[in-house]
Tab-separated table of all heavy atoms in Angstrom:
chain	number	residue	atom	x	y	z
A	115	TYR	N	76.596	78.471	95.936
A	115	TYR	CA	75.210	78.245	95.512
A	115	TYR	C	74.451	77.431	96.566
A	115	TYR	O	74.507	76.197	96.558
A	115	TYR	CB	75.174	77.520	94.164
A	115	TYR	CG	75.959	78.211	93.074
A	115	TYR	CD1	77.150	77.665	92.594
A	115	TYR	CD2	75.519	79.427	92.537
A	115	TYR	CE1	77.873	78.305	91.594
A	115	TYR	CE2	76.241	80.062	91.534
A	115	TYR	CZ	77.421	79.502	91.075
A	115	TYR	OH	78.141	80.127	90.091
A	116	PRO	N	73.721	78.089	97.458
A	116	PRO	CA	72.982	77.362	98.493
A	116	PRO	C	71.731	76.668	97.984
A	116	PRO	O	71.177	75.807	98.671
A	116	PRO	CB	72.618	78.466	99.500
A	116	PRO	CG	72.561	79.711	98.672
A	116	PRO	CD	73.618	79.555	97.620
A	117	ASP	N	71.264	77.043	96.785
A	117	ASP	CA	70.024	76.472	96.254
A	117	ASP	C	69.968	76.677	94.741
A	117	ASP	O	70.792	77.388	94.161
A	117	ASP	CB	68.798	77.108	96.925
A	117	ASP	CG	68.879	78.627	96.969
A	117	ASP	OD1	69.182	79.224	95.910
A	117	ASP	OD2	68.658	79.216	98.032
A	118	ALA	N	68.978	76.031	94.131
A	118	ALA	CA	68.833	76.119	92.674
A	118	ALA	C	68.529	77.538	92.217
A	118	ALA	O	68.960	77.963	91.137
A	118	ALA	CB	67.731	75.169	92.208
A	119	LEU	N	67.793	78.280	93.043
A	119	LEU	CA	67.432	79.649	92.677
A	119	LEU	C	68.677	80.505	92.459
A	119	LEU	O	68.722	81.331	91.535
A	119	LEU	CB	66.543	80.260	93.768
A	119	LEU	CG	65.985	81.663	93.510
A	119	LEU	CD1	65.135	81.694	92.238
A	119	LEU	CD2	65.160	82.143	94.708
A	120	THR	N	69.686	80.304	93.285
A	120	THR	CA	70.935	81.073	93.143
A	120	THR	C	71.618	80.760	91.815
A	120	THR	O	72.176	81.653	91.167
A	120	THR	CB	71.896	80.738	94.303
A	120	THR	OG1	71.170	80.707	95.526
A	120	THR	CG2	72.998	81.778	94.414
A	121	VAL	N	71.597	79.500	91.414
A	121	VAL	CA	72.180	79.115	90.118
A	121	VAL	C	71.402	79.766	88.974
A	121	VAL	O	71.989	80.336	88.046
A	121	VAL	CB	72.170	77.576	89.954
A	121	VAL	CG1	72.580	77.187	88.534
A	121	VAL	CG2	73.095	76.926	90.969
A	122	ILE	N	70.072	79.733	89.072
A	122	ILE	CA	69.233	80.313	88.020
A	122	ILE	C	69.471	81.812	87.902
A	122	ILE	O	69.539	82.370	86.798
A	122	ILE	CB	67.749	80.010	88.307
A	122	ILE	CG1	67.475	78.507	88.149
A	122	ILE	CG2	66.833	80.810	87.382
A	122	ILE	CD1	66.127	78.060	88.682
A	123	ARG	N	69.613	82.473	89.037
A	123	ARG	CA	69.804	83.928	89.050
A	123	ARG	C	71.219	84.354	88.675
A	123	ARG	O	71.467	85.537	88.451
A	123	ARG	CB	69.455	84.483	90.432
A	123	ARG	CG	67.953	84.530	90.702
A	123	ARG	CD	67.655	85.016	92.104
A	123	ARG	NE	66.231	85.325	92.274
A	123	ARG	CZ	65.638	85.477	93.456
A	123	ARG	NH1	66.340	85.322	94.578
A	123	ARG	NH2	64.351	85.757	93.524
A	124	SER	N	72.145	83.410	88.594
A	124	SER	CA	73.545	83.762	88.330
A	124	SER	C	73.763	84.293	86.924
A	124	SER	O	74.752	84.992	86.661
A	124	SER	CB	74.439	82.529	88.545
A	124	SER	OG	74.214	81.572	87.513
A	125	GLY	N	72.858	83.962	85.990
A	125	GLY	CA	73.038	84.378	84.601
A	125	GLY	C	73.994	83.497	83.821
A	125	GLY	O	74.206	83.702	82.623
A	126	VAL	N	74.590	82.489	84.498
A	126	VAL	CA	75.582	81.638	83.845
A	126	VAL	C	74.926	80.679	82.850
A	126	VAL	O	75.484	80.394	81.782
A	126	VAL	CB	76.388	80.842	84.902
A	126	VAL	CG1	77.317	79.831	84.237
A	126	VAL	CG2	77.196	81.796	85.778
A	127	LEU	N	73.728	80.194	83.154
A	127	LEU	CA	73.112	79.163	82.322
A	127	LEU	C	72.962	79.608	80.872
A	127	LEU	O	73.295	78.867	79.939
A	127	LEU	CB	71.743	78.768	82.895
A	127	LEU	CG	71.732	78.213	84.325
A	127	LEU	CD1	70.309	77.855	84.744
A	127	LEU	CD2	72.647	76.997	84.454
A	128	GLN	N	72.460	80.831	80.695
A	128	GLN	CA	72.208	81.317	79.330
A	128	GLN	C	73.491	81.439	78.521
A	128	GLN	O	73.469	81.324	77.289
A	128	GLN	CB	71.505	82.676	79.366
A	128	GLN	CG	70.151	82.679	80.045
A	128	GLN	CD	70.238	82.987	81.532
A	128	GLN	OE1	71.080	82.457	82.248
A	128	GLN	NE2	69.354	83.856	81.998
Side-chain angles (χ1 to χ4, degrees):
Y115 305 109
D117 48 48
L119 184 59
T120 316
V121 172
I122 292 168
R123 285 177 168 164
S124 70
V126 173
L127 301 181
Q128 299 91 315

